[in-house]
């Protein structure tokens, strides 16, 4: 199905969604499925590259199942059983937990193809997708300051266009130009991460476990230095491995190091037979920011709603963004559908203001715990002790896996689930 060709330079809809990544496409899918007229505006054309580890936890897998995506091996998806953790001289392989709320497997898929599948699914549900539609700014009601649409430049010719709707949803990623234009700036006190990755031809491409290395060392000085982050190796099943690292801004090393150089040095320390050498690299090293723990708010005001990275929904415990992008899209759509059914503008506005409250109730306590975790592991000594001693206790690491991946049964569950859920419940929902 091809994207809709724009012939009119002015269009109207019930809702405009800016950005057709996981957050935007999921939002558009559920809105269109409920019968709303949705415009989904994507600045590039599919397929398109995005920096990602390409590994999906059971939390993201659940969202794909809910959207009706074919996640079979025949459709090109590679399943994984769990997480292999390496650090402190230990190597521990943990299966994803067996839960009622989530499947017991994750998936791997390249982002260029992954994002397109979600966008096409939104189209099939009825969303009107415009590719090569670069949103340039908001249209505002001069009296109220409320957003009433967006301006854009279309196609190779950059034809000016305008789109109108009583509600606009920003799903335009970490930089979120639309949010900035509406004076929604990042909260610098919230954690931020950076991910860098590349691909290698490798015999390790068929691995049914995601692999996480808890110790990243900067070996270029007189003394080795442990860095606040982790490395990953994800087999893609297509002859390549996605190899990358994620770093937190909770250390002085965050700004002073070139993380592409750190990735190169880390790869050079790997066994040569794995193939993580420059001649086997299939593309450049690319990087992206990871906005964490509600680092941009309010999530709704003046007709603009934020989903996914635009609202800082990345999990501070493990840097996972796709699951929370899709979940926030589904939450947003549910709120919008209910608001759309209200009789008056005041009632609709009241219903829309429930969105930030639902996000806070769903993630606030857990993200507060994650912020504390980020500060803690910013100390290299803490990180080193945690890796060396924690990995020698499989039961403790199973608890940690559930905590970091946010994989618990919300009702009932085992003792670990009850402890994690209880901590999230009593933690400040900020």
């Amino acid at each position: 199905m091809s994207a809709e060709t724009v012939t009119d330079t002015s269009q109207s809809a019930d809702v405009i969604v800016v950005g057709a990544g996981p957050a935007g496409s999921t939002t558009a899918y559920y809105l269109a499925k409920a019968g709303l007229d949705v415009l989904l505006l994507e600045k590039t054309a599919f397929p398109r590259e995005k920096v990602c580890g390409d590994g999906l936890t059971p939390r993201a897998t659940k969202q794909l199942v809910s959207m009706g995506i074919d996640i079979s091996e025949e459709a090109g998806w590679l399943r994984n059983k769990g997480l292999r953790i390496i650090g402190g001289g230990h190597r521990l392989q943990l299966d994803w937990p067996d839960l009622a709320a989530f499947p017991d497997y994750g998936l791997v898929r390249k982002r260029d193809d992954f994002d397109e599948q979600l966008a096409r699914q939104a189209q099939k549900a009825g969303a009107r997708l415009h590719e090569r539609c670069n949103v340039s700014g908001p249209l505002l009601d001069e009296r109220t300051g409320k957003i009433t649409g967006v301006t854009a430049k279309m196609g190779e010719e950059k034809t000016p266009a305008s789109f109108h709707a009583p509600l606009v949803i920003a799903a335009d990623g970490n930089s979120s130009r639309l949010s900035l234009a509406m004076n929604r700036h990042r909260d610098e006190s919230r954690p931020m991460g950076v991910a860098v990755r590349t691909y290698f031809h490798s015999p390790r491409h068929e691995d049914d476990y995601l692999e996480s290395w808890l110790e990243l060392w900067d070996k270029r000085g007189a003394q080795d230095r442990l860095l606040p982050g982790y490395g990953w190796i994800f087999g893609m099943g297509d002859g390549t491995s996605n190899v990358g690292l994620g770093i937190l801004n909770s250390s002085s090393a965050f700004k002073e190091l070139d993380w592409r150089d750190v990735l190169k040095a880390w790869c050079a320390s790997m066994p040569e037979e794995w193939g993580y050498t420059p001649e086997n690299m299939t593309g450049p090293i690319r990087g992206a920011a990871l906005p964490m723990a509600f680092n941009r708010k309010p999530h709704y005001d003046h007709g603009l709603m934020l989903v996914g990275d635009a609202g800082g929904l990345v999990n501070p415990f493990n840097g996972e963004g796709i699951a929370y992008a899709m979940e926030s899209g589904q939450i947003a759509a549910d709120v919008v559908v209910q608001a759309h059914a209200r009789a008056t503008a005041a009632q609709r506005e009241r219903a829309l203001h429930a969105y930030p409250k639902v996000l806070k109730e769903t993630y606030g306590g857990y993200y507060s715990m994650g912020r504390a975790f980020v500060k803690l592991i910013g100390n290299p000594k803490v990180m080193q002790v945690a890796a060396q001693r924690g990995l020698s206790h499989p039961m403790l690491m199973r608890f940690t896996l559930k905590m970091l991946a946010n994989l618990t049964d919300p009702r009932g569950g085992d003792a670990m689930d009850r402890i994690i859920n209880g901590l999230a419940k009593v933690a400040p929902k900020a």
Side-chain angles (χ1 to χ4, degrees), residues 208-254:
D208 51 10
Y209 283 82
L210 303 179
E211 189 165 283
S212 179
W213 293 57
L214 298 188
E215 292 179 310
L216 289 175
W217 292 94
D218 176 20
K219 297 178 176 290
R220 296 173 303 164
Q223 191 171 13
D224 292 351
R225 177 168 53 162
L226 185 64
L227 302 173
Y230 68 95
W232 70 74
I233 299 172
F234 299 161
M236 301 302 298
D238 62 356
T240 66
S241 293
N242 180 317
V243 183
L245 53 87
I247 304 293
L248 294 163
N249 67 348
S250 54
S251 164
S252 59
F254 182 76

Side-chain angles (χ1 to χ4, degrees), residues 79-90:
R79 293 195 178 193
N80 59 74
K81 299 177 181 178
L83 186 66
R84 183 183 306 115
I85 306 172
I86 297 169
H90 301 280

